[in-house]
Amino acid sequence: MTTVPQPTAETRWRCTLCGNLTRFDVTRSSKVVEYVHLDLAGEPTVEEREVLSETIESVRCRWCNAVDQIELVDRPGTAS
């Protein structure tokens, strides 16, 4: 399994098969520390969340269902 690079302020994802730029299903693994507050009825609320590590495992195009066909391209208006 190869990891998929995460988009930056200068880049975004694009499906190489259909050209989709806006709709993707992302599978990620995260290791987080959360501060959970329970109200008197026992209902939990996450009040703070710190992401210790995160890896994007796969990105699937919502338009054509392609997996492992996602590339990073420049965002419009950014100088490369």
Side-chain angles (χ1 to χ4, degrees), residues 18-75:
C18 72
N20 171 30
L21 293 166
T22 59
R23 303 286 191 269
F24 301 96
D25 289 318
V26 180
T27 302
R28 51 178 103 224
S29 295
S30 300
K31 184 175 183 179
V32 299
V33 174
E34 293 178 333
Y35 169 63
V36 179
H37 176 219
L38 301 172
D39 65 17
L40 293 177
E43 291 296 319
T45 302
V46 176
E47 293 189 354
E48 294 176 16
R49 184 173 194 255
E50 178 186 359
V51 178
L52 302 176
S53 65
E54 186 171 60
T55 303
I56 297 175
E57 295 178 0
S58 69
V59 180
R60 182 175 59 88
C61 176
R62 265 290 174 116
W63 289 1
C64 71
N65 271 339
V67 179
D68 299 328
Q69 296 295 320
I70 308 304
E71 65 180 353
L72 282 179
V73 296
D74 290 336
R75 288 184 191 225

